[in-house]
Amino acid sequence: MMSSRAGSILLRHAGSRLFTAAAISPAAASRPLLAGGNGVPAVMLRLMSTSSPAAPTEAKDEAAKASKVGGDKKAVVINSYWGIEQNNKLARDDGTEWKWTCFRPWETYTADTSIDLTRHYEPKTLMDKVAYWTVKSLRFPTDIFFQRRYGCRAMMLETVAAVPGMVGGMLLHLRSLRRFEQSGGWIRALLEEAENERMHLMTFMEVAKPRWYERALVITVQGVFFNAYFLGYLLSPKFAHRVVGYLEEEAIHSYTEYLKDLEAGKIENVPAPAIAIDYWRLPANATLKDVVTVVRADEAHHRDVNHFASDIHCQGMQLKQSPAPIGYH
């Protein structure tokens, strides 16, 4: 009877000290129970301190603060271990927020629409004639398929037109690495062309919504054209650039016909997409006609660059021997 009462008293005494161990100093905790210490292992102390009911409350408070800071936008900010800034905001010249991530304010420009649109390279050699009639033969099925649906036609045209600059720039890049030599700026010039053509596509995606079979056609045409142009550039860069020069001449013709239908009222002259207004620095009240006009000017510049590149090769020189027209468009 006496032993059971002594045991219960000892248990109550140890239990009260055990469950108040969070406030016990580490020095006291490390002493044995019979030596006047608390006898609670340090590991148990850490477990009890981390399982404190205050921890979930603090986590909830932090989450509430984060939601208040984010507001209704619920913006997701990716914390990068590498120190890359994700929340740096850009602004236009008027101070309004820049909303595009696919291009930056310093990449925009005002198109030079005064360029000569009627310039044409007359085929002289057999290679020139093959390049010319190759492009003409590609125009025939395009006219049949799209007829006068110039919005969809432009969209298809730009999916093809953005390929040569990327292929040429890539092959020149690899050549520069293999031979430990400079490119004369032509890598950058050709990649600029590819990016400019891609922005044309992003613009016309806002104007013409492609149907499912047109998307399938894009995949097929792009796959065939990429591989054909890749092999063509490896075999003869002067032929490849001449083909692109003639392709751009056909693009100028197509956009001229597009403008004729817009002026005649056959196609509605809708407001310009916001992406086009910012990319070409167009006025806020710009229309589709303004967009087609600046795109046509871009194609004329690409025509000149590619015919120029072909001429360099025809003279027995390499592109690196003549400075590239960077930023020509």
Side-chain angles (χ1 to χ4, degrees), residues 39 150 228 269:
Y150 285 108
N269 191 23

Side-chain angles (χ1 to χ4, degrees), residues 85-262:
E85 294 290 337
Q86 294 287 331
N87 57 351
N88 49 343
K89 293 184 178 180
L90 301 175
R92 298 185 180 87
D93 294 336
D94 58 3
T96 57
E97 184 179 352
W98 183 264
K99 65 178 182 178
W100 308 107
T101 56
C102 55
F103 65 101
R104 302 296 181 171
W106 53 85
E107 297 172 338
T108 64
Y109 64 98
T110 302
D112 177 17
T113 56
S114 64
I115 189 171
D116 185 4
L117 300 171
T118 61
R119 193 179 301 162
H120 167 65
Y121 184 88
E122 286 292 336
K124 299 174 183 177
T125 64
L126 177 62
M127 181 207 69
D128 293 340
K129 293 177 182 178
V130 171
Y132 179 77
W133 288 110
T134 298
V135 173
K136 283 295 184 182
S137 64
L138 293 175
R139 183 181 179 86
F140 179 70
T142 306
D143 288 340
I144 294 177
F145 185 81
F146 290 105
Q147 298 181 359
R148 299 194 72 83
R149 293 187 298 120
Y150 285 108
C152 295
R153 187 192 190 104
M155 179 197 64
M156 171 62 74
L157 178 66
E158 299 303 343
T159 61
V160 172
V163 170
M166 181 60 65
V167 172
M170 176 187 67
L171 291 176
L172 287 179
H173 175 73
L174 295 176
R175 180 191 180 96
S176 175
L177 297 178
R178 288 195 310 270
R179 300 195 175 186
F180 306 97
E181 62 185 18
Q182 299 292 336
S183 68
W186 279 95
I187 296 174
R188 181 176 175 184
L190 293 177
L191 293 181
E192 275 186 355
E193 177 186 314
E195 175 64 11
N196 183 245
E197 298 284 11
R198 190 185 66 85
M199 289 304 299
H200 293 177
L201 175 62
M202 297 299 102
T203 297
F204 284 110
M205 284 289 293
E206 300 293 326
V207 176
K209 303 300 182 183
R211 301 180 177 91
W212 68 268
Y213 58 85
E214 290 172 337
R215 290 179 179 270
L217 182 63
V218 165
I219 295 173
T220 304
V221 171
Q222 188 184 79
V224 173
F225 183 74
F226 177 90
N227 289 284
Y229 190 80
F230 179 83
L231 293 175
Y233 203 98
L234 287 176
L235 296 174
S236 176
K238 60 184 176 183
F239 173 76
H241 282 293
R242 190 69 77 201
V243 166
V244 178
Y246 286 129
L247 278 174
E248 300 295 359
E249 289 184 16
E250 291 298 327
I252 294 169
H253 174 74
S254 295
Y255 284 120
T256 300
E257 294 296 314
Y258 197 172
L259 284 172
K260 288 180 181 179
D261 281 4
L262 283 168

